Amino acid sequence: MEAFSERPLSPERHPSVGRSRKGRASRLDPRSAAGQVFLLQVVIVVLLVVAAVVCMVLEAASDALQQGRRESVIAAQSFASAPGVAAALQSRDPSAVLQPSAEAARKRTGMDFVVVLSTKGIRYTYPYPREIGKKFVGDIAPALKGRTVVEQAGGPPLPAGQGTDVQAVVPVTDSRGKVVGLVSAGITVKSVAGLWLPQLPIIMASGAVALALAMTGTTLVSRRLRRQTFGLAPVELAQLYEHHDAVLHAVREGVLITDADGRLLLANDEATRLLGLPADVRGRSVRELGLSEPVMSLLSSREEVTDEVRRAGDRLLVVNKRPTYPGGDRGGSVVTLRDTTELAEISGRAEVSRERLKLLYEAGVRIGTTLDVRCTAQELADVAAPQFADLVTVDLLDAVLRGWEPTAEGWRHLRRAAIGGEQRMMPVYPLDEVIAFSPRTPQMRTLQEGRGMLETDLRRSDGWREQDPERARKALEGGLRSLVAVPLRARNVPLGVANFYRTADSPAFEPEDLTFAEELAVRAAVAIDNARRFTREHTMAVALQRSLLPRGQPEQDALEVAWRYLPSEAGVGGDWFDVIPLPGARVALVMGDVVGHGLHAAATMGRLRTAVHNFSTLDLPVDEVLGNLDDLVVRMDNETNRGDAVDGQEGEGVTGATCLYAVYDPVAGTCTAARAGHPEPVMVRPDGTVACLGVPVSAPLGLGGYPFESVEVSLPEGSQLVLYTDGLVENRAHDFDVGMERLRRALGGSGKRTPEELCQAVIDALKPSRPSDDIALLTARTRMFPPSRVAEWEVPPDPALVPSVRARCRETLLKWGLEETGFATELIVSELVTNAIRYGSPPVGVRLLHGRCLICEVSDGSGTSPRLRRAATTDEGGRGLFLVAQFAQRWGTRYTTRGKVIWTEQLLHDGESAASGVAPVDFLLDQFDLDQFDDPGS
């Protein structure tokens, strides 16, 4: 046979009849089986030839030796028995007598030597005379006793040369039988080649014939094997057998092969296991194996079977049967068996694993959708019941529900946060009840040990029953049977316990269920901890925001306002708004937005809102207010960049903010506004038309160095201003332009709506379902001061005309019905006009406004501002502003493009001045002339 490597194992590889020399030579390749067999035969033939030659050589040598022994004995005995030898040995010179006779006998018999010896072993004769008289080499003792000795020995040189020396020693006796001497005859066996060389050609010819026969036989056998093995080499056949045997016994299907007579030829390990076959089944009839009738009839019949289910003991087997020789008459069949019982079990396990993975995925999607602790706990309960447990309860530490950091001191008191599943008549603790668990309960043990607890049968759980024996008894009567309690831990901190219960209608929990419950609890704990931390931050941010945003509407006469603030899902952000009353019955409207969310954004918003209040107190122009805010934001950024921020501060440094600042004057009916990167305000006219206010946009706050432009717009009475942040008009669903268009549609036709109604309508129309940014909205409807409540006139720069100004002021107050406040008002106007004439510059004007309070304004063209100081008792002046401050509720200075305005406000209560009846003022008026009360103005 021949080894064929790297070839596909196919039965179609038949050797062709006509082979080339190369093909014939390959059959005798030493690497092939045929070549190896041929080499073995060659070695055997050679060994046989060599053995034959050796045997012939040995036989020839043995024959030559035996012949030499016989001849030496005959020659020695013949010479010893010759007449006169015994007498010669007893003569005076035996050598002289016997030497010629011995040489003659040697030459006549063909011996190499005939030696006559004395009884002492001394030579009397020898072919070489010089050796006569020397000691004989050999054993003569037996001969002295009368026996013949034949031996191989070596001695002096012989005429025949080197070779095997065979010598015989015989005794010579006299007439009385006495040994009188010895005769030794020997021959040298030189070579036996002549005996076996003639037979060598016969042996070699026989070996050649044997080799030719071996080659012919090997070739014929190789061809036959190649035909029967389809050209496969022995190595390939061995591999096929090994693979066949390995696969046959490793496959998880039973395989049976029967012959035409119904005898079992093969049964692999799986078939033996499935059918319970004995070890010695090969060759036995299938009817002798004790199989069940369905299986036995299947194996005995010749019908084909495809995926039929047959019962074998307690197993259901899927059977397939095919003939071993399709279309032939040789019979036999192959039967395969597959255990559907185990497949069903495996399928069930796979289905359980798939359901568990699906439930974990569902938990990852459904748990933590909100940042509310209770909602997250309820999501855990709803996900686990009823897919994993019949009843689920979640108990959390009270500190977790409040957003605080949990501590071990609170473990004994947990609050029921969620219940899921079919409660039916189960007596479980209700929601929001505080539960004090005893130390032996599974809930307390799982908190202390930090691992899940499995109670497969609650009827044998003493620790669980001792918590509330009566409630436990009712629960067991209701069918509660099994419990898994797992801790809810995040960042290695316990948050609470999740309890999973099963009733008697469901299988009890197993260790695998405990592992799954722990995995479910880990995912839920992360979401609960995130919600807890958000609750903490949200609570702090809300508290901070409530302290920073307006809590109520300030008293003012210029606007009717309403607002809405909606935080995003991420929590409180940096949006803010404000309504700030200003001197002269004016009102400032502010809307701002700080980048970011959380505590940092809220704190930054508070700083900016406080700054706006301070700047508005100075009564600065709107563009200067935004400029000062811009400088403040830049300084805040620089502080953060220099590392001046507190370590561990939440959030990052301020990266920017937007702001809109507008001032409405109800006397002139104008609105002056400026915006720093903020969305433009919208105006709704009394007839319902909607238009933008036309405020030019400037750079956001925090960039530094950019100017801010302002615009002054006249507003009809009853117009509504709508201020908002970008969260109202821009979100992930649409861009800014779409949001503005939706805002215009929501505001259309709203001229008759109140600000509250307008706010609600806008929120209902534009609020997203899941806001991603804060929404701040402020609506303000304008009012105008009626001309009848405004008195204004110019004063010539002459101090002598101050009494006429007081008189005109008195007449105006009488017309308004404020005669009770006349004295204080005359005093204030007189002092302010006197200072304006003396220390200011023309033109000097006086304006009185009657609203929620009485406002007195004196203007002049000077830019210097008076200041309040206390005069000494010896000073003749310097007490005028002191008196003004005593009679007015508030007073101050504001600058205009034409100079300054000194203003005062007096509260009105039922026609009486709040400053009437002040004793220190009466005392001063009694002692000093009012004409001397003046302020040097600096």
Side-chain angles (χ1 to χ4, degrees):
M1 290 187 294
E2 178 183 359
F4 297 89
S5 59
E6 304 296 332
R7 295 185 180 180
L9 305 181
S10 172
E12 299 177 359
R13 290 174 45 198
H14 300 285
S16 59
V17 177
R19 290 288 185 178
S20 62
R21 292 185 177 180
K22 182 178 179 180
R24 289 195 296 270
S26 65
R27 298 191 192 101
L28 302 181
D29 190 335
R31 292 173 296 180
S32 66
Q36 294 172 1
V37 171
F38 178 70
L39 289 178
L40 179 61
Q41 292 174 343
V42 170
V43 171
I44 293 173
V45 170
V46 171
L47 290 177
L48 290 175
V49 171
V50 172
V53 172
V54 171
C55 289
M56 286 191 301
V57 172
L58 294 176
E59 184 179 1
S62 177
D63 292 343
L65 186 60
Q66 292 296 331
Q67 183 179 356
R69 291 168 65 89
R70 288 193 302 270
E71 291 179 355
S72 62
V73 170
I74 293 172
Q77 287 180 350
S78 298
F79 190 82
S81 301
V85 174
L89 288 172
Q90 294 176 358
S91 65
R92 296 180 61 186
D93 189 5
S95 295
V97 178
L98 295 176
Q99 176 66 17
S101 301
E103 284 299 309
R106 179 181 68 82
K107 295 177 181 179
R108 185 174 57 251
T109 58
M111 293 289 105
D112 288 335
F113 65 88
V114 176
V115 180
V116 180
L117 309 173
S118 67
T119 55
K120 294 181 179 180
I122 303 299
R123 297 190 191 102
Y124 290 145
T125 64
Y126 201 79
Y128 299 111
R130 64 178 179 274
E131 298 295 330
I132 295 174
K134 295 182 180 180
K135 186 71 173 180
F136 178 73
V137 177
D139 186 12
I140 63 174
L144 292 176
K145 294 179 181 180
R147 295 198 297 270
T148 301
V149 178
V150 180
E151 62 179 352
Q152 297 178 11
L158 297 173
Q162 299 296 326
T164 303
D165 187 8
V166 179
Q167 61 185 14
V169 181
V170 298
V172 179
T173 60
D174 56 8
S175 59
R176 292 190 298 275
K178 179 182 178 183
V179 178
V180 296
L182 302 173
V183 176
S184 175
I187 189 171
T188 300
V189 183
K190 295 182 177 180
S191 175
V192 295
L195 300 176
W196 60 270
L197 282 177
Q199 299 180 7
L200 182 60
I202 299 174
I203 296 175
M204 298 301 294
S206 300
V209 172
L211 288 176
L213 292 175
M215 180 183 298
T216 303
T218 302
T219 303
L220 294 176
V221 171
S222 174
R223 288 182 178 180
R224 182 173 181 83
L225 289 177
R226 286 171 61 85
R227 286 195 301 269
Q228 292 182 347
T229 60
F230 304 105
L232 297 178
V235 175
E236 294 173 321
L237 288 174
Q239 291 178 349
L240 280 178
Y241 178 78
E242 292 174 358
H243 296 166
H244 164 268
D245 191 65
V247 172
L248 183 65
H249 294 287
V251 71
R252 294 294 292 173
E253 276 199 8
V255 178
L256 299 171
I257 300 179
T258 61
D259 61 7
D261 298 330
R263 295 186 178 277
L264 195 60
L265 301 179
L266 183 144
N268 68 345
D269 296 343
E270 184 67 9
T272 302
R273 185 184 69 85
L274 294 177
L275 299 178
L277 299 176
D280 55 341
V281 295
R282 181 169 297 181
R284 297 174 59 181
S285 175
V286 295
R287 298 187 177 277
E288 302 175 1
L289 302 179
L291 301 175
S292 61
E293 181 60 30
V295 177
M296 185 179 64
S297 60
L298 171 69
L299 297 177
S300 302
S301 67
R302 302 188 63 177
E303 62 176 343
E304 295 186 11
V305 174
T306 302
D307 291 339
E308 288 192 8
V309 179
R310 302 292 177 94
R311 178 173 294 279
D314 58 348
R315 300 178 184 273
L316 291 177
L317 305 180
V318 175
V319 182
N320 287 274
K321 182 179 181 182
R322 293 292 184 273
T324 54
Y325 300 98
D329 298 332
R330 300 176 60 180
S333 60
V334 177
V335 179
T336 60
L337 310 172
R338 186 171 66 253
D339 189 358
T340 58
T341 306
E342 295 184 1
L343 289 176
E345 183 178 354
I346 293 173
S347 300
R349 292 178 181 176
E351 183 65 24
V352 171
S353 300
R354 185 162 52 252
E355 291 297 328
R356 294 285 172 85
L357 290 176
K358 181 180 177 181
L359 185 57
L360 285 178
Y361 173 78
E362 185 179 353
V365 174
R366 292 178 54 185
I367 299 178
T369 58
T370 66
L371 290 174
D372 183 85
V373 176
R374 293 181 182 272
C375 290
T376 304
Q378 188 62 48
E379 288 169 349
L380 169 61
D382 294 339
V383 165
Q387 301 182 65
F388 176 67
D390 298 321
L391 176 64
V392 180
T393 61
V394 181
D395 303 324
L396 299 178
L397 276 68
D398 202 49
V400 174
L401 293 171
R402 298 173 182 269
W404 302 342
E405 194 71 24
T407 58
E409 289 76 9
W411 288 3
R412 290 293 302 275
H413 299 85
L414 282 80
R415 189 177 296 272
R416 178 62 46 89
I419 302 176
E422 184 65 31
Q423 298 184 34
R424 293 180 293 184
M425 300 301 292
M426 294 296 176
V428 298
Y429 290 101
L431 285 175
D432 212 39
E433 182 170 343
V434 177
I435 309 171
F437 288 105
S438 63
R440 293 184 58 196
T441 58
Q443 290 83 358
M444 185 55 59
R445 289 171 56 202
T446 192
L447 277 177
Q448 293 173 345
E449 300 180 19
R451 61 183 181 89
M453 294 293 168
L454 172 62
E455 297 289 347
T456 56
D457 192 350
L458 291 176
R459 292 171 296 184
R460 295 195 295 267
S461 178
D462 298 333
W464 178 77
R465 291 202 310 272
E466 77 174 13
Q467 171 67 27
D468 191 335
E470 181 62 23
R471 192 186 298 268
R473 182 185 63 80
K474 294 180 179 179
L476 293 175
E477 291 175 355
L480 212 61
R481 285 295 178 268
S482 184
L483 164 66
V484 168
V486 293
L488 297 172
R489 298 174 64 89
R491 297 177 294 109
N492 205 28
V493 176
L495 306 176
V497 180
N499 306 296
F500 303 94
Y501 293 94
R502 283 184 181 175
T503 61
D505 299 333
S506 302
F509 285 116
E510 299 178 355
E512 294 179 356
D513 298 318
L514 176 60
T515 303
F516 175 77
E518 290 176 340
E519 177 67 22
L520 195 63
V522 166
R523 300 194 177 199
V526 174
I528 291 175
D529 188 58
N530 290 338
R532 178 195 65 80
R533 298 175 68 183
F534 173 79
T535 301
R536 180 193 63 182
E537 181 175 339
H538 183 72
T539 302
M540 298 172 62
V542 168
L544 178 61
Q545 181 225 18
R546 288 178 178 176
S547 66
L548 296 177
L549 289 178
R551 299 187 180 182
Q553 295 189 12
E555 295 182 1
Q556 45 85 27
D557 299 324
L559 299 170
E560 180 184 356
V561 297
W563 57 67
R564 295 287 188 276
Y565 177 79
L566 302 176
S568 68
E569 288 187 339
V572 177
D575 292 8
W576 94 93
F577 57 89
D578 225 329
V579 179
I580 306 174
L582 297 178
R586 296 169 303 138
V587 176
L589 301 177
V590 187
M591 181 69 67
D593 185 1
V594 176
V595 176
H597 296 86
L599 289 176
H600 180 68
T604 303
M605 175 267 289
R607 297 176 67 179
L608 295 182
R609 180 170 180 259
T610 302
V612 171
H613 273 269
N614 293 334
F615 296 145
S616 64
T617 301
L618 299 176
D619 211 348
L620 300 176
V622 293
D623 55 340
E624 292 187 21
V625 171
L626 294 183
N628 290 329
L629 281 179
D630 182 58
D631 294 339
L632 175 61
V633 173
V634 170
R635 287 196 301 271
M636 293 166 65
D637 279 337
N638 292 337
E639 290 175 359
T640 304
N641 293 334
R642 289 196 308 268
D644 296 340
V646 179
D647 292 340
Q649 177 182 357
E650 297 189 23
E652 298 179 354
V654 178
T655 56
T658 63
C659 184
L660 169 68
Y661 187 77
V663 176
Y664 175 68
D665 188 349
V667 178
T670 60
C671 178
T672 305
R675 60 189 177 114
H678 202 81
E680 186 175 7
V682 178
M683 175 182 62
V684 182
R685 296 187 177 91
D687 58 1
T689 59
V690 180
C692 291
L693 206 59
V695 182
V697 63
S698 301
L701 302 177
L703 298 182
Y706 291 93
F708 297 94
E709 299 183 43
S710 62
V711 67
E712 183 175 310
V713 181
S714 296
L715 301 178
E717 186 175 9
S719 299
Q720 297 206 50
L721 292 176
V722 179
L723 282 65
Y724 53 90
T725 56
D726 56 359
L728 181 69
V729 296
E730 185 178 17
N731 55 39
R732 300 172 182 173
H734 53 75
D735 57 13
F736 183 80
D737 294 336
V738 176
M740 286 298 298
E741 183 60 31
R742 294 178 61 195
L743 177 61
R744 292 188 184 95
R745 289 198 300 267
L747 294 175
S750 301
K752 302 301 182 181
R753 291 180 178 176
T754 64
E756 280 290 338
E757 295 172 346
L758 186 59
C759 268
Q760 192 60 45
V762 171
I763 291 297
D764 293 341
L766 274 73
K767 177 188 175 183
S769 59
R770 301 174 67 91
S772 58
D773 194 6
D774 298 357
I775 296 176
L777 175 66
L778 175 64
T779 60
R781 182 157 61 184
T782 61
R783 297 171 179 167
M784 293 287 291
F785 254 73
S788 60
R789 290 185 173 242
V790 178
E792 185 176 8
W793 60 90
E794 290 189 5
V795 179
D798 185 1
L801 299 177
V802 173
S804 63
V805 174
R806 290 201 300 267
R808 192 168 181 177
C809 177
R810 186 182 311 113
E811 295 174 359
T812 302
L813 295 179
L814 289 174
K815 184 169 58 176
W816 290 345
L818 302 176
E819 56 273 4
E820 295 297 331
T821 63
F823 178 77
T825 305
E826 290 180 35
L827 179 63
I828 292 172
V829 170
S830 175
E831 178 58 32
L832 295 180
V833 170
T834 301
N835 281 343
I837 294 175
R838 288 185 178 180
Y839 306 108
S841 59
V844 177
V846 177
R847 187 173 71 170
L848 300 178
L849 302 177
H850 180 202
R852 63 179 181 85
C853 62
L854 179 62
I855 301 174
C856 299
E857 296 180 346
V858 177
S859 61
D860 66 83
S862 173
T864 58
S865 176
R867 61 186 180 87
L868 178 65
R869 67 182 181 88
R870 292 187 177 276
T873 56
T874 57
D875 291 342
E876 294 182 358
R879 299 173 178 84
L881 286 182
F882 177 76
L883 292 176
V884 170
Q886 290 296 322
F887 281 99
Q889 180 70 21
R890 294 192 308 153
W891 74 280
T893 305
R894 77 171 185 270
Y895 297 92
T896 64
T897 56
R898 295 176 296 178
K900 68 176 181 295
V901 175
I902 310 298
W903 55 269
T904 63
E905 290 183 0
Q906 298 169 260
L907 296 181
L908 302 176
H909 300 283
D910 297 331
E912 295 184 0
S913 173
S916 61
V918 181
V921 176
D922 293 339
F923 177 76
L924 289 174
L925 292 177
D926 291 340
Q927 298 188 39
F928 297 97
D929 185 2
L930 288 178
D931 292 339
Q932 296 178 354
F933 295 167
D934 53 10
D935 195 322
S938 62

